[in-house]
Amino acid sequence: MTFLLAGASKTEMNSYNGNGLVYVMNPHLDLMDEDILYHLDLGTKTHNLPAMFGDTKFVCVGGSPNRMKAFAQFMHKELGLEGDGKDIKDICAGTDRYCMYKVGPVLSISHGMGVPSISIMLHELIKLLHHAKCRDVTIIRIGTSGGLGIEPGSVVITDTAVDSFFKPQFEQVILDNVVTRSTELDRDLAEELLECSRQIKDFPSLIGHTMCTDDFYEGQGRLDGALCSFSREKKLEYLKRAYNAGVRNIEMESTVFAAMCRLCGLKAAVVCVTLLNRLEGDQITAPHEVLLDYQQRPQQLISLFIRKCLGLWNPNGLSEDVI
C-alpha cells in the first residue's frame, strides 16, 4: 500500500498514481483483517467489492438522496441500459445515512449536508474504490449553491475551492493539531466540462472559485437566520470582497472534497448550479418548477461528459435540450 504525506505535490501524486489505482493514505489499513465500511453498510468480508464495483469509472456525489436516485435513473436511460431503471436498488439500503446506486460504470451516492457528512462518506467511498481495485476513476460533486454576482441558474465549474477567508485550503483538526491541505482541483477536467457545457442549448456556465463554509446562515453572511451578529452593510462588504477574490458561488462541501480526492489520486470536479444571486438576497424564492429545472442542469452536463468519455455521444442525434 502506498502512503503519502499530506503535503505531497501534484507531481508526486501523479508519479505514485501512474497505474490509475485509487490510493488510501493510511498504512494502518494493511494491519486490519477486515475493513467494515459502517456508514455504507458494506465490508471487505461481507461483500465481494471487486466484483460489485471493480468496473466503476465515474462517481457522482450529491447532498440529496432523492436527487442522487433521480440522477442514477437518468443515467440508466442516458446509457441505454436495459429496463426502465425505476426499480434500481439502493446498495446502502441497510443504513439510513447515505444512498448508493450503480448503473453501468457510474456510481451515484448521496453525501448529506456539510463538511462532516461528506467527509465521512468520502473516507468510506475512497476505501471502497481502493478495495475494489478501481482504476482511472473520475469523481464529480454535483449540487446546488448560492451564486455571487451571476444569474440564478448559472452552472459554476469550480477551479479552486476556498475557505471563508478566500484561501485555497482545508483545515482539519487531527488530535490537537490543525493540518492544512490543498484544495486544488483538476483544471484540465474543469476545462473539459466547460467545453461540454457549450454543447447544451441555453446553458449558462462558467469556471470560478467556490467558497465552502461551515454554516448555511451566519457562516454565509445571511441576514435571515435565528441569529445574526452583523449589519446588512457588513454582509455586502464581505460578499463583494469574496467576489473580487474570484468567488462565484458558495456551498458547504467543496474544500474537504477537493482535499481528500487530491490526496488519494482521484481526478475530481465540483459542478454546482446557483439558485440565487446572494448580492441581491438571502432567501430562495424561485418557483418549484424553476428550481427543478436548475437542479437538473448539473446532471445534464455530467451525463454529456460521461457519454462522451464512453464514446456514446452522438452530436448528430441530440435531444431537444442540446444544440
Side-chain angles (χ1 to χ4, degrees), residues 32 34-44 46-47 49 91-100 120-121 123-125 127-128 131:
M32 295 169 53
E34 178 183 11
D35 191 3
I36 299 171
L37 310 179
Y38 173 72
H39 300 89
L40 301 181
D41 192 37
L42 295 167
T44 54
T46 55
H47 298 79
L49 299 181
I91 299 171
C92 298
T95 175
D96 60 359
R97 296 296 182 187
Y98 307 104
C99 71
M100 178 189 296
I120 294 168
M121 187 280 290
H123 273 282
E124 298 185 14
L125 168 64
K127 291 196 297 177
L128 167 64
H131 292 313

Side-chain angles (χ1 to χ4, degrees), residues 253-322:
E253 294 88 16
S254 59
T255 51
V256 68
F257 174 84
M260 291 184 67
C261 291
R262 177 181 178 274
L263 281 172
C264 295
L266 285 161
K267 181 187 290 188
V270 177
V271 178
C272 291
V273 68
T274 58
L275 302 183
L276 75 166
N277 180 358
R278 287 295 318 289
L279 293 176
E280 297 179 354
D282 294 332
Q283 297 205 331
I284 300 169
T285 58
H288 174 73
E289 59 272 15
V290 173
L291 293 176
L292 184 61
D293 173 69
Y294 288 171
Q295 291 171 16
Q296 291 173 343
R297 291 181 181 181
Q299 298 185 19
Q300 293 171 343
L301 174 55
I302 302 311
S303 168
L304 177 57
F305 167 74
I306 290 174
R307 286 185 288 126
K308 287 187 73 172
C309 289
L310 296 175
L312 300 177
W313 181 63
N314 177 10
N316 297 316
L318 301 178
S319 69
E320 61 182 6
D321 295 326
V322 182

Side-chain angles (χ1 to χ4, degrees), residues 71-310:
F71 175 71
Q73 291 173 328
F74 177 59
M75 286 307 307
H76 188 280
K77 178 181 178 181
E78 293 287 280
L79 295 176
L81 301 178
E82 294 183 0
D84 57 14
K86 291 182 179 180
D87 59 348
I88 190 169
K89 301 297 183 183
D90 180 5
I91 299 171
C92 298
T95 175
D96 60 359
R97 296 296 182 187
Y98 307 104
C99 71
M100 178 189 296
Y101 303 93
K102 188 172 185 298
V103 286
V106 181
L107 206 56
S108 177
I109 311 173
S110 68
H111 60 60
M113 185 179 293
V115 162
S117 184
I118 191 174
S119 173
I120 294 168
M121 187 280 290
L122 284 172
H123 273 282
E124 298 185 14
L125 168 64
I126 291 169
K127 291 196 297 177
L128 167 64
L129 298 174
H130 172 77
H131 292 313
K133 297 179 172 58
C134 297
R135 293 177 181 269
D136 302 317
V137 175
T138 297
I139 180 169
I140 302 173
R141 175 176 131 65
I142 58 177
T144 58
S145 61
L148 209 55
I150 57 179
E151 289 298 314
S154 300
V155 174
V156 179
I157 302 164
T158 306
D159 56 2
T160 303
V162 300
D163 63 15
S164 296
F165 300 96
F166 321 138
K167 295 180 179 179
Q169 64 183 32
F170 172 66
E171 290 188 339
Q172 172 77 59
V173 177
I174 301 175
L175 304 182
D176 58 351
N177 295 312
V178 177
V179 175
T180 302
R181 291 169 171 165
S182 170
T183 54
E184 181 182 359
L185 287 159
D186 191 294
R187 293 180 183 271
D188 291 339
L189 177 57
E191 291 288 350
E192 192 173 356
L193 288 167
L194 182 64
E195 183 60 32
C196 283
S197 73
R198 292 171 177 154
Q199 308 300 316
I200 306 176
K201 183 179 180 181
D202 299 327
F203 196 94
S205 60
L206 66 152
I207 291 178
H209 294 357
T210 295
M211 183 167 72
C212 178
T213 67
D214 293 329
D215 171 55
F216 184 81
Y217 284 97
E218 283 189 299
Q220 293 188 11
R222 278 185 161 84
L223 302 172
D224 60 344
L227 303 172
C228 187
S229 56
F230 46 85
S231 66
R232 183 180 301 274
E233 290 73 23
K234 282 288 186 181
K235 164 205 163 175
L236 288 175
E237 186 269 335
Y238 174 73
L239 292 182
K240 287 176 181 177
R241 281 196 288 119
Y243 180 87
N244 291 335
V247 174
R248 293 299 177 266
N249 65 331
I250 308 171
E251 45 88 275
M252 297 172 60
E253 294 88 16
S254 59
T255 51
V256 68
F257 174 84
M260 291 184 67
C261 291
R262 177 181 178 274
L263 281 172
C264 295
L266 285 161
K267 181 187 290 188
V270 177
V271 178
C272 291
V273 68
T274 58
L275 302 183
L276 75 166
N277 180 358
R278 287 295 318 289
L279 293 176
E280 297 179 354
D282 294 332
Q283 297 205 331
I284 300 169
T285 58
H288 174 73
E289 59 272 15
V290 173
L291 293 176
L292 184 61
D293 173 69
Y294 288 171
Q295 291 171 16
Q296 291 173 343
R297 291 181 181 181
Q299 298 185 19
Q300 293 171 343
L301 174 55
I302 302 311
S303 168
L304 177 57
F305 167 74
I306 290 174
R307 286 185 288 126
K308 287 187 73 172
C309 289
L310 296 175

